[in-house]
Amino acid sequence: MEYLICKNSQGELLCFAPVSDNPKIPEAADPCRVFTAEVLASTTLNADAREVYWLYEVCFSDFSSAFVTAFDFSDALVTALLHGGGGLIPFYIYEYDLFELRESGKNGVTSYEFDTKPSALLSVLNEKNRDLVAHAIAFANGNTEGGLLKAEREYIEKILGAADKTGLELTADEILSVCSYVWNNYILFESTDASEEVRRLHARHSAEADPVALLMWTFVFEQWAHYDCHLPYTLYRLLLNGGFDGCIDGLCAEREILM
């Protein structure tokens, strides 16, 4: 959909409204930049897709940009890259709080800059793994691989009492225990107002015997429900190493249930 967008000289958002609504340009004390742009809706999984309060401006190194409404900067980035067809290199993302804009009439800017880890993840991005890549970027950006590994090992040791383990070494039963916040937590359903079909999907995949498939569905439900990722190193390594290739088609076959 095409929107009218107005920003002041400080980069603050003053107006964001569908062109079809014939919006009025707000009065401002300093010069404003007023333009129209096609705004994309995020294509990644989001339990609150009907209540998105953030607009993202994804800026690329060729000075082009894309506007996306999304829950998180990583969702916006993945959506913009897939829409652009590849070959684009992200430079910055600017975040605007649409709820604050409606409440106060303007909104400041939060910016995100990228390092090499998200760039590595973007090199393996495709339509099938977009939700997993978005989830991984949210936790990899600004962290070192060693930092991801350390945090994951500490979390597993806290739950299982086993030192120096990663999710790649866990059995299915151990994954269910380490990730009980996904697999044994009724709040997940209450907080997302999950449908009966989603509950059945969850029950089916809680019985996965293959650890990699169980890990994949763990990450999928984390992304969908906006949960933290406690096995970020495992997610990062499986994506870069093609570890989900054997089960990703299973996600694609049932993904629509979570839309």
Side-chain angles (χ1 to χ4, degrees), residues 31-110:
C32 294
R33 180 185 172 213
V34 181
F35 57 98
T36 61
E38 189 70 21
V39 177
L40 307 172
S42 174
T43 60
T44 55
L45 292 175
N46 175 5
D48 304 314
R50 296 180 182 177
E51 300 180 19
V52 174
Y53 295 120
W54 291 275
L55 171 69
Y56 293 90
E57 183 178 0
V58 184
C59 305
F60 298 103
S61 56
D62 66 352
F63 303 106
S64 66
S65 62
F67 289 87
V68 186
T69 52
F71 180 82
D72 191 90
F73 82 93
S74 59
D75 302 314
L77 175 58
V78 164
T79 298
L81 285 170
L82 289 175
H83 179 78
L88 297 172
I89 300 173
F91 189 45
Y92 281 100
I93 288 184
Y94 298 111
E95 176 187 272
Y96 305 96
D97 187 329
L98 298 179
F99 180 80
E100 182 182 330
L101 175 65
R102 287 194 291 269
E103 292 295 304
S104 66
K106 70 176 181 177
N107 172 241
V109 182
T110 301

Coordinates of all heavy atoms in Angstrom, one line a residue, residues 31-110:
P31 N 11.8 22.9 8.1 CA 11.5 22.3 6.8 C 11.3 20.8 7.0 O 12.0 20.1 7.8 CB 12.8 22.6 6.0 CG 13.4 23.8 6.6 CD 13.1 23.6 8.1
C32 N 10.4 20.2 6.2 CA 10.1 18.8 6.3 C 10.3 18.1 4.9 O 10.2 18.8 3.9 CB 8.6 18.6 6.7 SG 8.2 19.1 8.4
R33 N 10.5 16.9 5.0 CA 10.6 16.1 3.8 C 9.3 15.3 3.7 O 8.9 14.5 4.6 CB 11.8 15.1 3.9 CG 11.9 14.2 2.6 CD 13.0 13.2 2.8 NE 13.1 12.3 1.7 CZ 13.4 11.0 1.8 NH1 13.7 10.5 3.0 NH2 13.4 10.2 0.8
V34 N 8.6 15.5 2.6 CA 7.3 14.9 2.4 C 7.4 14.1 1.1 O 7.8 14.6 0.1 CB 6.1 15.9 2.3 CG1 4.8 15.2 2.1 CG2 6.1 16.8 3.5
F35 N 7.0 12.8 1.2 CA 7.0 11.9 0.0 C 6.1 10.8 0.2 O 5.5 10.6 1.3 CB 8.5 11.4 -0.2 CG 9.0 10.6 1.0 CD1 8.9 9.2 1.1 CD2 9.5 11.3 2.1 CE1 9.4 8.5 2.1 CE2 10.0 10.6 3.2 CZ 10.0 9.2 3.2
T36 N 5.8 10.1 -0.9 CA 5.0 8.8 -0.8 C 5.9 7.6 -1.1 O 6.9 7.7 -1.8 CB 3.9 8.9 -1.9 OG1 4.4 9.0 -3.2 CG2 2.9 10.0 -1.6
A37 N 5.5 6.5 -0.5 CA 6.3 5.3 -0.7 C 5.4 4.1 -0.5 O 4.4 4.1 0.2 CB 7.4 5.2 0.4
E38 N 5.8 3.0 -1.2 CA 5.1 1.7 -1.1 C 5.6 1.1 0.2 O 6.8 1.0 0.5 CB 5.4 0.8 -2.2 CG 4.6 -0.5 -2.3 CD 3.2 -0.2 -2.6 OE1 2.8 0.8 -3.2 OE2 2.4 -1.1 -2.3
V39 N 4.7 0.7 1.1 CA 5.1 0.2 2.4 C 4.7 -1.3 2.4 O 3.6 -1.7 2.1 CB 4.3 0.9 3.6 CG1 4.7 0.2 4.9 CG2 4.8 2.4 3.6
L40 N 5.7 -2.1 2.7 CA 5.5 -3.6 2.7 C 5.1 -4.0 4.1 O 5.4 -3.4 5.1 CB 6.9 -4.3 2.4 CG 7.6 -3.9 1.1 CD1 9.0 -4.5 1.1 CD2 6.8 -4.2 -0.1
A41 N 4.3 -5.1 4.2 CA 4.0 -5.7 5.5 C 4.9 -6.9 5.7 O 5.3 -7.6 4.7 CB 2.5 -6.3 5.4
S42 N 5.4 -7.1 6.9 CA 6.4 -8.1 7.2 C 5.8 -9.5 6.7 O 4.6 -9.8 6.9 CB 6.7 -8.1 8.7 OG 7.5 -9.3 9.0
T43 N 6.7 -10.3 6.2 CA 6.3 -11.6 5.7 C 6.8 -12.7 6.7 O 6.7 -13.9 6.4 CB 6.8 -11.9 4.3 OG1 8.3 -11.9 4.3 CG2 6.3 -10.9 3.3
T44 N 7.3 -12.4 7.8 CA 7.8 -13.4 8.8 C 6.7 -13.7 9.8 O 5.7 -12.9 10.0 CB 9.0 -12.9 9.5 OG1 8.8 -11.6 10.1 CG2 10.2 -12.8 8.6
L45 N 6.8 -14.8 10.5 CA 5.7 -15.2 11.4 C 5.6 -14.3 12.6 O 6.7 -13.8 13.2 CB 6.1 -16.6 11.9 CG 5.9 -17.7 10.9 CD1 6.4 -19.1 11.5 CD2 4.5 -17.9 10.4
N46 N 4.4 -14.0 13.0 CA 4.2 -13.0 14.0 C 2.8 -13.2 14.6 O 1.8 -13.0 13.9 CB 4.3 -11.6 13.5 CG 3.9 -10.5 14.4 OD1 3.7 -10.8 15.6 ND2 3.8 -9.3 14.0
A47 N 2.7 -13.7 15.9 CA 1.4 -13.9 16.5 C 0.5 -12.7 16.6 O -0.7 -12.8 16.7 CB 1.6 -14.6 17.9
D48 N 1.2 -11.5 16.6 CA 0.4 -10.3 16.7 C 0.4 -9.5 15.4 O 0.4 -8.2 15.4 CB 1.1 -9.4 17.8 CG 1.2 -10.1 19.1 OD1 0.2 -10.7 19.5 OD2 2.2 -10.1 19.7
A49 N 0.3 -10.2 14.3 CA 0.5 -9.6 13.0 C -0.5 -8.5 12.7 O -0.3 -7.5 11.9 CB 0.4 -10.6 11.9
R50 N -1.7 -8.5 13.4 CA -2.7 -7.5 13.1 C -2.5 -6.3 14.0 O -3.3 -5.3 13.9 CB -4.1 -8.1 13.4 CG -4.5 -9.3 12.5 CD -5.9 -9.8 12.8 NE -6.2 -11.0 12.0 CZ -7.3 -11.7 12.1 NH1 -8.2 -11.4 13.0 NH2 -7.6 -12.7 11.2
E51 N -1.5 -6.3 14.9 CA -1.3 -5.1 15.8 C 0.1 -4.7 15.7 O 0.8 -4.7 16.7 CB -1.7 -5.5 17.2 CG -3.2 -6.0 17.3 CD -3.5 -6.4 18.7 OE1 -2.8 -6.0 19.7 OE2 -4.5 -7.1 18.9
V52 N 0.6 -4.4 14.5 CA 2.0 -3.9 14.4 C 2.1 -2.4 14.7 O 1.3 -1.6 14.1 CB 2.5 -4.2 13.0 CG1 3.9 -3.6 12.8 CG2 2.5 -5.7 12.8
Y53 N 3.0 -2.0 15.5 CA 3.1 -0.6 15.9 C 4.4 0.0 15.5 O 4.8 1.1 15.9 CB 3.0 -0.5 17.5 CG 1.7 -0.9 18.0 CD1 1.5 -1.9 18.9 CD2 0.5 -0.2 17.6 CE1 0.3 -2.3 19.4 CE2 -0.7 -0.6 18.1 CZ -0.9 -1.6 19.0 OH -2.1 -2.0 19.5
W54 N 5.2 -0.7 14.6 CA 6.5 -0.1 14.2 C 6.6 -0.1 12.7 O 6.2 -1.0 12.0 CB 7.6 -0.9 14.8 CG 7.7 -0.8 16.3 CD1 8.4 0.2 17.0 CD2 7.2 -1.7 17.3 NE1 8.2 0.0 18.4 CE2 7.5 -1.2 18.6 CE3 6.4 -2.8 17.2 CZ2 7.1 -1.8 19.7 CZ3 6.0 -3.4 18.4 CH2 6.3 -2.9 19.6
L55 N 7.2 1.0 12.3 CA 7.6 1.2 10.9 C 9.1 1.2 10.8 O 9.8 1.8 11.6 CB 7.0 2.5 10.3 CG 7.5 2.9 8.9 CD1 7.0 2.0 7.9 CD2 7.2 4.4 8.6
Y56 N 9.6 0.5 9.8 CA 11.1 0.4 9.6 C 11.5 0.9 8.3 O 10.8 0.6 7.3 CB 11.6 -1.1 9.8 CG 11.4 -1.6 11.2 CD1 10.3 -2.2 11.6 CD2 12.4 -1.3 12.2 CE1 10.1 -2.7 12.9 CE2 12.3 -1.8 13.5 CZ 11.1 -2.4 13.8 OH 11.0 -2.9 15.1
E57 N 12.5 1.7 8.2 CA 13.1 2.1 7.0 C 14.4 1.4 6.8 O 15.4 1.7 7.5 CB 13.3 3.7 7.0 CG 13.8 4.2 5.7 CD 14.0 5.7 5.8 OE1 13.7 6.3 6.8 OE2 14.4 6.3 4.8
V58 N 14.5 0.5 5.9 CA 15.7 -0.3 5.6 C 16.5 0.4 4.5 O 16.0 0.5 3.4 CB 15.3 -1.8 5.2 CG1 16.5 -2.6 5.0 CG2 14.3 -2.4 6.2
C59 N 17.7 0.8 4.9 CA 18.5 1.5 4.0 C 19.7 0.7 3.5 O 20.3 0.0 4.3 CB 19.1 2.8 4.7 SG 17.8 3.9 5.4
F60 N 19.9 0.7 2.2 CA 21.0 -0.2 1.6 C 22.1 0.7 1.1 O 22.1 1.9 1.0 CB 20.4 -1.0 0.5 CG 19.3 -1.9 0.9 CD1 17.9 -1.6 0.7 CD2 19.5 -3.1 1.6 CE1 16.9 -2.4 1.1 CE2 18.5 -3.9 2.0 CZ 17.2 -3.6 1.8
S61 N 23.3 0.0 0.9 CA 24.5 0.6 0.5 C 24.4 1.3 -0.9 O 25.3 2.2 -1.2 CB 25.7 -0.4 0.5 OG 25.4 -1.4 -0.4
D62 N 23.4 1.0 -1.7 CA 23.3 1.7 -3.0 C 22.4 2.9 -2.9 O 21.9 3.4 -3.9 CB 22.7 0.7 -4.0 CG 21.3 0.2 -3.7 OD1 20.8 0.5 -2.6 OD2 20.7 -0.4 -4.6
F63 N 22.1 3.3 -1.6 CA 21.3 4.5 -1.3 C 19.8 4.3 -1.5 O 19.0 5.2 -1.5 CB 21.7 5.7 -2.0 CG 23.2 6.0 -1.7 CD1 24.2 5.8 -2.7 CD2 23.6 6.6 -0.5 CE1 25.5 6.1 -2.4 CE2 24.9 6.8 -0.2 CZ 25.9 6.6 -1.2
S64 N 19.4 3.0 -1.9 CA 17.9 2.7 -1.9 C 17.4 2.4 -0.6 O 18.2 2.2 0.4 CB 17.7 1.6 -2.9 OG 18.2 0.4 -2.4
S65 N 16.1 2.4 -0.4 CA 15.5 2.0 0.9 C 14.2 1.4 0.7 O 13.6 1.5 -0.4 CB 15.4 3.3 1.8 OG 14.5 4.2 1.2
A66 N 13.7 0.7 1.7 CA 12.4 0.0 1.7 C 11.7 0.3 3.0 O 12.4 0.3 4.1 CB 12.5 -1.5 1.4
F67 N 10.4 0.5 3.0 CA 9.7 0.8 4.2 C 8.8 -0.5 4.5 O 8.2 -1.0 3.6 CB 8.8 2.0 4.1 CG 9.5 3.3 4.0 CD1 10.0 3.8 2.8 CD2 9.7 4.0 5.2 CE1 10.7 5.0 2.8 CE2 10.4 5.2 5.2 CZ 10.9 5.7 4.0
V68 N 8.9 -0.9 5.8 CA 8.2 -2.2 6.2 C 7.6 -2.0 7.5 O 8.2 -1.5 8.5 CB 9.2 -3.4 6.3 CG1 8.5 -4.7 6.5 CG2 10.1 -3.5 5.0
T69 N 6.3 -2.4 7.7 CA 5.7 -2.5 9.0 C 6.0 -3.9 9.5 O 5.7 -4.9 8.9 CB 4.2 -2.2 8.9 OG1 3.6 -3.1 8.0 CG2 3.9 -0.8 8.6
A70 N 6.5 -3.9 10.7 CA 7.0 -5.2 11.3 C 7.1 -5.2 12.8 O 7.0 -4.1 13.4 CB 8.4 -5.6 10.7
F71 N 7.2 -6.3 13.4 CA 7.4 -6.4 14.9 C 8.8 -6.1 15.3 O 9.0 -5.5 16.4 CB 7.0 -7.8 15.4 CG 7.1 -8.0 16.9 CD1 6.1 -7.5 17.7 CD2 8.2 -8.5 17.4 CE1 6.2 -7.6 19.1 CE2 8.3 -8.6 18.8 CZ 7.3 -8.2 19.6
D72 N 9.8 -6.4 14.5 CA 11.2 -6.3 14.9 C 12.0 -5.9 13.7 O 11.6 -6.1 12.5 CB 11.7 -7.6 15.5 CG 13.0 -7.4 16.2 OD1 13.1 -7.2 17.4 OD2 14.0 -7.6 15.5
F73 N 13.2 -5.2 13.9 CA 14.0 -4.8 12.8 C 14.4 -6.0 12.0 O 14.6 -5.8 10.7 CB 15.2 -4.0 13.4 CG 16.3 -4.9 13.8 CD1 17.4 -5.3 13.0 CD2 16.4 -5.4 15.1 CE1 18.4 -6.1 13.4 CE2 17.4 -6.2 15.6 CZ 18.4 -6.6 14.7
S74 N 14.7 -7.1 12.6 CA 15.1 -8.3 11.8 C 14.0 -8.8 10.8 O 14.3 -9.2 9.7 CB 15.6 -9.4 12.7 OG 14.5 -9.8 13.6
D75 N 12.7 -8.7 11.3 CA 11.6 -9.1 10.4 C 11.6 -8.1 9.2 O 11.3 -8.6 8.1 CB 10.3 -9.0 11.2 CG 10.3 -9.9 12.4 OD1 10.7 -11.1 12.3 OD2 9.8 -9.5 13.4
A76 N 11.8 -6.9 9.5 CA 11.7 -5.9 8.4 C 12.9 -6.1 7.4 O 12.7 -6.0 6.2 CB 11.8 -4.5 9.0
L77 N 14.0 -6.4 7.9 CA 15.2 -6.6 7.1 C 15.0 -7.8 6.1 O 15.2 -7.7 4.9 CB 16.5 -6.8 7.9 CG 17.7 -7.1 7.1 CD1 18.1 -6.1 6.1 CD2 18.9 -7.3 8.1
V78 N 14.5 -8.9 6.7 CA 14.3 -10.1 5.9 C 13.2 -9.8 4.8 O 13.4 -10.2 3.7 CB 13.9 -11.3 6.8 CG1 13.3 -12.4 6.1 CG2 15.1 -11.8 7.6
T79 N 12.2 -9.2 5.2 CA 11.1 -8.9 4.3 C 11.6 -8.0 3.1 O 11.3 -8.2 2.0 CB 9.9 -8.2 5.0 OG1 9.4 -9.0 6.0 CG2 8.9 -7.8 4.0
A80 N 12.4 -7.0 3.5 CA 12.9 -6.1 2.4 C 13.9 -6.8 1.5 O 13.8 -6.5 0.3 CB 13.6 -4.9 3.1
L81 N 14.7 -7.6 2.0 CA 15.7 -8.3 1.2 C 15.0 -9.3 0.2 O 15.3 -9.4 -0.9 CB 16.7 -9.0 2.0 CG 17.7 -8.2 2.7 CD1 18.5 -8.9 3.7 CD2 18.7 -7.6 1.7
L82 N 14.0 -10.0 0.7 CA 13.3 -11.0 -0.1 C 12.5 -10.3 -1.2 O 12.4 -10.7 -2.3 CB 12.4 -11.9 0.7 CG 13.1 -12.9 1.6 CD1 12.1 -13.7 2.5 CD2 13.9 -13.9 0.8
H83 N 11.9 -9.1 -0.8 CA 11.2 -8.3 -1.8 C 12.1 -7.8 -2.9 O 11.7 -7.7 -4.0 CB 10.5 -7.2 -1.1 CG 9.7 -6.3 -2.0 ND1 8.4 -6.7 -2.5 CD2 10.0 -5.1 -2.5 CE1 8.0 -5.7 -3.3 NE2 8.9 -4.7 -3.3
G84 N 13.3 -7.4 -2.5 CA 14.3 -6.8 -3.4 C 14.9 -7.8 -4.3 O 15.6 -7.4 -5.3
G85 N 14.8 -9.1 -4.1 CA 15.3 -10.1 -5.0 C 16.8 -10.4 -4.8 O 17.4 -11.1 -5.6
G86 N 17.4 -10.0 -3.7 CA 18.8 -10.3 -3.5 C 19.8 -9.3 -4.1 O 19.4 -8.4 -4.9
G87 N 21.1 -9.4 -3.6 CA 22.1 -8.5 -4.1 C 22.2 -7.2 -3.4 O 23.1 -6.4 -3.6
L88 N 21.3 -7.0 -2.4 CA 21.3 -5.7 -1.7 C 22.1 -5.9 -0.4 O 22.1 -7.0 0.2 CB 19.9 -5.3 -1.3 CG 19.0 -4.9 -2.5 CD1 17.6 -4.7 -2.0 CD2 19.5 -3.7 -3.2
I89 N 22.8 -4.9 0.0 CA 23.6 -4.9 1.3 C 23.0 -3.9 2.2 O 23.0 -2.7 2.0 CB 25.1 -4.6 1.0 CG1 25.7 -5.6 0.0 CG2 25.9 -4.6 2.3 CD1 27.1 -5.2 -0.5
P90 N 22.5 -4.4 3.4 CA 21.9 -3.5 4.4 C 23.0 -2.6 5.0 O 24.1 -3.0 5.3 CB 21.3 -4.4 5.4 CG 22.1 -5.7 5.3 CD 22.5 -5.8 3.9
F91 N 22.6 -1.4 5.3 CA 23.5 -0.4 5.9 C 23.0 0.0 7.3 O 23.6 -0.1 8.3 CB 23.7 0.8 5.0 CG 24.8 1.7 5.4 CD1 26.0 1.3 5.8 CD2 24.6 3.1 5.4 CE1 27.1 2.1 6.2 CE2 25.6 4.0 5.8 CZ 26.8 3.5 6.2
Y92 N 21.8 0.6 7.3 CA 21.1 1.0 8.5 C 19.6 0.6 8.4 O 19.1 0.5 7.3 CB 21.2 2.5 8.7 CG 22.5 3.0 9.2 CD1 23.4 3.6 8.4 CD2 22.8 2.9 10.6 CE1 24.6 4.1 8.9 CE2 24.0 3.4 11.1 CZ 24.9 4.0 10.2 OH 26.1 4.4 10.7
I93 N 19.0 0.5 9.6 CA 17.6 0.4 9.7 C 17.1 1.5 10.7 O 17.7 1.6 11.8 CB 17.1 -1.0 10.1 CG1 17.2 -2.0 9.0 CG2 15.6 -0.9 10.5 CD1 16.7 -3.3 9.3
Y94 N 16.1 2.3 10.3 CA 15.5 3.2 11.2 C 14.2 2.7 11.7 O 13.4 2.3 10.8 CB 15.4 4.6 10.5 CG 16.7 5.2 10.1 CD1 17.1 5.3 8.8 CD2 17.7 5.6 11.1 CE1 18.3 5.8 8.4 CE2 18.9 6.1 10.7 CZ 19.2 6.2 9.3 OH 20.4 6.7 9.0
E95 N 13.9 2.8 13.0 CA 12.7 2.4 13.6 C 11.8 3.5 14.0 O 12.4 4.4 14.7 CB 13.0 1.4 14.7 CG 11.8 1.0 15.5 CD 12.2 0.2 16.7 OE1 12.4 -1.0 16.6 OE2 12.3 0.8 17.8
Y96 N 10.6 3.5 13.7 CA 9.6 4.6 14.1 C 8.5 3.9 14.9 O 7.9 2.9 14.4 CB 9.1 5.3 12.9 CG 10.1 5.9 12.0 CD1 10.6 5.2 10.9 CD2 10.7 7.1 12.3 CE1 11.5 5.7 10.0 CE2 11.7 7.7 11.5 CZ 12.1 6.9 10.3 OH 13.1 7.4 9.5
D97 N 8.1 4.4 16.0 CA 7.1 3.9 16.9 C 5.8 4.6 16.4 O 5.5 5.7 16.7 CB 7.4 4.2 18.3 CG 6.4 3.6 19.3 OD1 5.2 3.4 18.9 OD2 6.8 3.3 20.4
L98 N 4.9 3.8 15.8 CA 3.7 4.3 15.2 C 2.7 4.6 16.3 O 1.8 5.5 16.2 CB 3.1 3.3 14.2 CG 3.9 3.1 13.0 CD1 3.2 2.1 12.0 CD2 4.2 4.4 12.2
F99 N 2.7 3.9 17.4 CA 1.8 4.1 18.5 C 2.2 5.5 19.1 O 1.3 6.3 19.4 CB 1.9 3.1 19.6 CG 1.1 3.3 20.8 CD1 -0.3 3.0 20.8 CD2 1.6 3.8 22.0 CE1 -1.1 3.2 21.8 CE2 0.8 4.1 23.1 CZ -0.6 3.7 23.0
E100 N 3.4 5.8 19.3 CA 3.8 7.1 19.8 C 3.5 8.2 18.9 O 3.1 9.3 19.3 CB 5.4 7.1 20.1 CG 5.9 8.4 20.7 CD 7.4 8.5 20.9 OE1 7.9 7.4 21.1 OE2 8.0 9.5 20.8
L101 N 3.6 7.9 17.6 CA 3.2 8.9 16.6 C 1.7 9.3 16.7 O 1.4 10.5 16.7 CB 3.5 8.4 15.2 CG 3.0 9.3 14.0 CD1 3.8 10.6 14.0 CD2 3.2 8.5 12.7
R102 N 0.9 8.3 16.9 CA -0.5 8.6 17.0 C -0.8 9.3 18.3 O -1.7 10.2 18.4 CB -1.3 7.3 17.0 CG -1.4 6.7 15.6 CD -2.5 5.6 15.5 NE -2.1 4.4 16.3 CZ -1.4 3.4 15.8 NH1 -1.0 3.4 14.5 NH2 -1.1 2.3 16.5
E103 N -0.1 9.0 19.4 CA -0.3 9.6 20.7 C 0.2 11.1 20.8 O -0.5 11.9 21.4 CB 0.3 8.8 21.8 CG -0.3 7.4 22.0 CD -1.8 7.6 22.5 OE1 -1.9 8.2 23.6 OE2 -2.7 7.0 21.9
S104 N 1.4 11.3 20.2 CA 2.0 12.6 20.4 C 2.2 13.5 19.2 O 2.6 14.6 19.2 CB 3.4 12.4 21.1 OG 4.3 11.8 20.2
G105 N 2.0 12.9 18.0 CA 2.1 13.6 16.8 C 3.5 13.6 16.1 O 3.7 14.1 15.0
K106 N 4.4 13.0 16.8 CA 5.8 12.8 16.2 C 6.5 11.7 17.0 O 6.1 11.3 18.0 CB 6.6 14.1 16.3 CG 7.1 14.5 17.6 CD 8.0 15.8 17.5 CE 8.5 16.2 18.9 NZ 9.4 17.4 18.8
N107 N 7.5 11.2 16.3 CA 8.3 10.1 16.9 C 9.7 10.2 16.6 O 10.1 10.5 15.5 CB 7.7 8.8 16.3 CG 8.5 7.6 16.7 OD1 9.0 6.9 15.9 ND2 8.6 7.3 18.0
G108 N 10.6 10.0 17.6 CA 12.0 9.9 17.4 C 12.4 8.7 16.6 O 11.6 7.8 16.3
V109 N 13.7 8.6 16.4 CA 14.3 7.5 15.5 C 15.2 6.6 16.4 O 16.0 7.1 17.1 CB 15.0 8.1 14.3 CG1 15.5 6.9 13.4 CG2 14.1 9.0 13.6
T110 N 15.0 5.3 16.2 CA 16.0 4.3 16.7 C 16.7 3.7 15.5 O 16.0 3.3 14.5 CB 15.3 3.2 17.5 OG1 14.6 3.8 18.6 CG2 16.3 2.2 18.1

